[in-house]
Short mmCIF file of all heavy atoms in Angstrom, two decimals:
data_model
loop_
_atom_site.label_atom_id
_atom_site.label_comp_id
_atom_site.label_asym_id
_atom_site.label_seq_id
_atom_site.Cartn_x
_atom_site.Cartn_y
_atom_site.Cartn_z
N THR A 82 204.54 103.24 23.56
CA THR A 82 204.18 104.20 24.60
C THR A 82 205.43 104.90 25.12
O THR A 82 205.46 106.13 25.29
CB THR A 82 203.48 103.47 25.77
OG1 THR A 82 202.31 102.85 25.26
CG2 THR A 82 203.10 104.44 26.89
N TYR A 83 206.47 104.11 25.37
CA TYR A 83 207.71 104.68 25.91
C TYR A 83 208.43 105.52 24.86
O TYR A 83 209.10 106.50 25.20
CB TYR A 83 208.60 103.56 26.47
CG TYR A 83 207.95 102.88 27.66
CD1 TYR A 83 207.26 101.68 27.51
CD2 TYR A 83 207.95 103.47 28.91
CE1 TYR A 83 206.63 101.07 28.58
CE2 TYR A 83 207.32 102.88 30.00
CZ TYR A 83 206.65 101.68 29.83
OH TYR A 83 206.01 101.09 30.90
N ARG A 84 208.26 105.16 23.58
CA ARG A 84 208.88 105.95 22.51
C ARG A 84 208.27 107.35 22.48
O ARG A 84 208.97 108.36 22.44
CB ARG A 84 208.68 105.25 21.15
CG ARG A 84 209.62 105.75 20.06
CD ARG A 84 209.32 105.11 18.71
NE ARG A 84 209.18 103.65 18.75
CZ ARG A 84 210.19 102.80 18.76
NH1 ARG A 84 211.43 103.24 18.74
NH2 ARG A 84 209.98 101.50 18.80
N ARG A 85 206.93 107.42 22.54
CA ARG A 85 206.26 108.73 22.47
C ARG A 85 206.51 109.55 23.73
O ARG A 85 206.99 110.69 23.66
CB ARG A 85 204.74 108.54 22.29
CG ARG A 85 203.97 109.86 22.24
CD ARG A 85 202.51 109.65 21.89
NE ARG A 85 201.67 109.35 23.03
CZ ARG A 85 200.94 110.23 23.71
NH1 ARG A 85 200.98 111.52 23.36
NH2 ARG A 85 200.18 109.86 24.72
N ILE A 86 206.23 108.95 24.88
CA ILE A 86 206.31 109.73 26.12
C ILE A 86 207.77 110.00 26.49
O ILE A 86 208.11 111.09 26.96
CB ILE A 86 205.52 109.02 27.24
CG1 ILE A 86 204.05 109.03 26.82
CG2 ILE A 86 205.73 109.69 28.59
CD1 ILE A 86 203.09 108.35 27.75
N GLY A 87 208.63 109.05 26.19
CA GLY A 87 210.06 109.25 26.44
C GLY A 87 210.63 110.39 25.59
O GLY A 87 211.47 111.17 26.06
N GLY A 88 210.17 110.49 24.37
CA GLY A 88 210.64 111.57 23.50
C GLY A 88 210.29 112.93 24.07
O GLY A 88 211.10 113.87 24.05
N ILE A 89 209.08 113.02 24.62
CA ILE A 89 208.64 114.29 25.22
C ILE A 89 209.45 114.58 26.49
O ILE A 89 209.83 115.72 26.75
CB ILE A 89 207.12 114.24 25.51
CG1 ILE A 89 206.34 113.99 24.21
CG2 ILE A 89 206.65 115.53 26.18
CD1 ILE A 89 204.86 113.64 24.41
N ALA A 90 209.74 113.53 27.25
CA ALA A 90 210.55 113.70 28.47
C ALA A 90 211.94 114.21 28.11
O ALA A 90 212.48 115.12 28.78
CB ALA A 90 210.65 112.38 29.23
N LYS A 91 212.53 113.65 27.06
CA LYS A 91 213.87 114.09 26.67
C LYS A 91 213.85 115.56 26.25
O LYS A 91 214.74 116.33 26.59
CB LYS A 91 214.43 113.23 25.53
CG LYS A 91 214.45 111.75 25.76
CD LYS A 91 215.14 111.31 27.01
CE LYS A 91 216.65 111.38 26.87
NZ LYS A 91 217.28 110.79 28.09
N ASP A 92 212.81 115.93 25.48
CA ASP A 92 212.69 117.34 25.05
C ASP A 92 212.57 118.27 26.26
O ASP A 92 212.98 119.43 26.19
CB ASP A 92 211.45 117.53 24.14
CG ASP A 92 211.69 116.94 22.76
OD1 ASP A 92 212.87 116.66 22.43
OD2 ASP A 92 210.71 116.72 22.03
N ALA A 93 211.97 117.76 27.34
CA ALA A 93 211.83 118.59 28.55
C ALA A 93 213.10 118.56 29.41
O ALA A 93 213.14 119.17 30.47
CB ALA A 93 210.63 118.09 29.37
N GLY A 94 214.09 117.80 28.96
CA GLY A 94 215.36 117.76 29.70
C GLY A 94 215.40 116.76 30.83
O GLY A 94 216.21 116.85 31.75
N LEU A 95 214.49 115.76 30.78
CA LEU A 95 214.40 114.76 31.84
C LEU A 95 215.05 113.44 31.44
O LEU A 95 214.94 113.02 30.28
CB LEU A 95 212.93 114.47 32.17
CG LEU A 95 212.13 115.60 32.82
CD1 LEU A 95 210.63 115.31 32.68
CD2 LEU A 95 212.51 115.74 34.29
N GLU A 96 215.69 112.78 32.40
CA GLU A 96 216.05 111.38 32.20
C GLU A 96 214.75 110.59 32.15
O GLU A 96 213.78 110.94 32.83
CB GLU A 96 216.86 110.86 33.40
CG GLU A 96 218.34 110.95 33.30
CD GLU A 96 218.97 110.39 34.58
OE1 GLU A 96 218.67 109.24 34.95
OE2 GLU A 96 219.73 111.15 35.20
N PHE A 97 214.78 109.46 31.42
CA PHE A 97 213.53 108.72 31.26
C PHE A 97 213.79 107.22 31.43
O PHE A 97 214.50 106.60 30.65
CB PHE A 97 212.93 109.00 29.89
CG PHE A 97 211.58 108.39 29.67
CD1 PHE A 97 210.46 108.93 30.30
CD2 PHE A 97 211.42 107.28 28.86
CE1 PHE A 97 209.20 108.36 30.11
CE2 PHE A 97 210.17 106.71 28.67
CZ PHE A 97 209.06 107.26 29.30
N HIS A 98 213.18 106.66 32.49
CA HIS A 98 213.32 105.23 32.79
C HIS A 98 211.94 104.57 32.72
O HIS A 98 210.97 105.13 33.22
CB HIS A 98 213.91 105.03 34.18
CG HIS A 98 215.28 105.65 34.33
ND1 HIS A 98 216.44 104.93 34.26
CD2 HIS A 98 215.66 106.95 34.51
CE1 HIS A 98 217.48 105.75 34.41
NE2 HIS A 98 217.03 106.98 34.56
N ALA A 99 211.89 103.40 32.11
CA ALA A 99 210.62 102.67 32.01
C ALA A 99 210.42 101.84 33.27
O ALA A 99 211.19 100.92 33.55
CB ALA A 99 210.64 101.77 30.78
N TRP A 100 209.38 102.19 34.02
CA TRP A 100 209.08 101.56 35.32
C TRP A 100 208.00 100.51 35.10
O TRP A 100 206.85 100.85 34.83
CB TRP A 100 208.63 102.67 36.28
CG TRP A 100 207.94 102.22 37.54
CD1 TRP A 100 208.16 101.07 38.25
CD2 TRP A 100 206.93 102.94 38.26
NE1 TRP A 100 207.35 101.04 39.36
CE2 TRP A 100 206.58 102.18 39.40
CE3 TRP A 100 206.29 104.18 38.06
CZ2 TRP A 100 205.62 102.58 40.32
CZ3 TRP A 100 205.34 104.59 38.98
CH2 TRP A 100 205.01 103.79 40.09
N ILE A 101 208.40 99.24 35.20
CA ILE A 101 207.47 98.15 34.87
C ILE A 101 207.57 97.03 35.91
O ILE A 101 208.65 96.49 36.13
CB ILE A 101 207.80 97.57 33.47
CG1 ILE A 101 207.85 98.69 32.43
CG2 ILE A 101 206.78 96.52 33.08
CD1 ILE A 101 208.49 98.26 31.13
N PRO A 102 206.43 96.71 36.56
CA PRO A 102 206.45 95.59 37.51
C PRO A 102 207.03 94.32 36.88
O PRO A 102 206.81 94.06 35.69
CB PRO A 102 204.98 95.41 37.87
CG PRO A 102 204.40 96.77 37.70
CD PRO A 102 205.12 97.35 36.50
N THR A 103 207.71 93.54 37.69
CA THR A 103 208.44 92.37 37.20
C THR A 103 207.67 91.08 37.51
O THR A 103 207.03 90.52 36.63
CB THR A 103 209.85 92.35 37.84
OG1 THR A 103 210.47 93.61 37.60
CG2 THR A 103 210.70 91.25 37.24
N MET A 104 207.70 90.65 38.78
CA MET A 104 207.06 89.37 39.12
C MET A 104 205.53 89.50 39.20
O MET A 104 204.82 88.50 39.11
CB MET A 104 207.58 88.84 40.46
CG MET A 104 209.09 88.62 40.51
SD MET A 104 209.76 87.70 39.12
CE MET A 104 208.98 86.11 39.37
N LEU A 105 205.05 90.69 39.39
CA LEU A 105 203.60 90.92 39.46
C LEU A 105 203.07 91.10 38.04
O LEU A 105 203.38 92.09 37.37
CB LEU A 105 203.32 92.19 40.27
CG LEU A 105 201.84 92.47 40.54
CD1 LEU A 105 201.33 91.64 41.70
CD2 LEU A 105 201.63 93.94 40.86
N GLN A 106 202.33 90.11 37.56
CA GLN A 106 201.83 90.16 36.19
C GLN A 106 200.38 89.68 36.16
O GLN A 106 200.07 88.58 36.60
CB GLN A 106 202.68 89.27 35.26
CG GLN A 106 204.11 89.73 35.10
CD GLN A 106 204.24 91.04 34.32
OE1 GLN A 106 203.34 91.43 33.56
NE2 GLN A 106 205.36 91.74 34.52
N ARG A 107 199.56 90.55 35.59
CA ARG A 107 198.16 90.18 35.40
C ARG A 107 198.06 89.04 34.39
O ARG A 107 198.98 88.81 33.62
CB ARG A 107 197.39 91.37 34.83
CG ARG A 107 196.88 92.31 35.85
CD ARG A 107 196.02 93.34 35.18
NE ARG A 107 196.79 94.09 34.18
CZ ARG A 107 196.61 95.39 33.93
NH1 ARG A 107 195.68 96.04 34.56
NH2 ARG A 107 197.33 96.00 33.04
N GLN A 108 196.89 88.43 34.39
CA GLN A 108 196.58 87.40 33.41
C GLN A 108 196.98 87.88 32.01
O GLN A 108 196.70 89.02 31.64
CB GLN A 108 195.07 87.17 33.43
CG GLN A 108 194.68 85.78 33.11
CD GLN A 108 193.27 85.50 33.64
OE1 GLN A 108 192.83 86.07 34.64
NE2 GLN A 108 192.58 84.62 32.96
N ASN A 109 197.62 86.98 31.25
CA ASN A 109 198.18 87.37 29.97
C ASN A 109 198.28 86.10 29.14
O ASN A 109 198.72 85.07 29.66
CB ASN A 109 199.59 87.96 30.27
CG ASN A 109 200.36 88.36 29.04
OD1 ASN A 109 200.23 87.77 27.98
ND2 ASN A 109 201.19 89.36 29.23
N PRO A 110 197.86 86.13 27.88
CA PRO A 110 197.89 84.90 27.07
C PRO A 110 199.29 84.27 27.01
O PRO A 110 199.42 83.06 26.80
CB PRO A 110 197.46 85.36 25.68
CG PRO A 110 196.90 86.73 25.83
CD PRO A 110 197.36 87.29 27.15
N GLN A 111 200.33 85.08 27.21
CA GLN A 111 201.69 84.54 27.15
C GLN A 111 202.11 83.85 28.46
O GLN A 111 203.20 83.30 28.53
CB GLN A 111 202.70 85.67 26.88
CG GLN A 111 202.57 86.28 25.51
CD GLN A 111 203.41 87.54 25.46
OE1 GLN A 111 202.96 88.63 25.77
NE2 GLN A 111 204.67 87.39 25.11
N LEU A 112 201.25 83.96 29.49
CA LEU A 112 201.62 83.41 30.80
C LEU A 112 200.59 82.37 31.25
O LEU A 112 199.57 82.72 31.85
CB LEU A 112 201.67 84.54 31.83
CG LEU A 112 202.79 85.58 31.66
CD1 LEU A 112 202.56 86.78 32.57
CD2 LEU A 112 204.16 84.97 31.93
#
Side-chain angles (χ1 to χ4, degrees):
T82 300
Y83 295 98
R84 197 184 312 279
R85 178 173 86 97
I86 295 179
I89 300 169
K91 306 306 284 187
D92 287 345
L95 292 163
E96 267 180 55
F97 186 74
H98 300 259
W100 165 32
I101 307 166
T103 307
M104 302 311 295
L105 186 81
Q106 296 291 338
R107 274 186 300 216
Q108 211 159 330
N109 177 329
Q111 293 169 270
L112 293 169

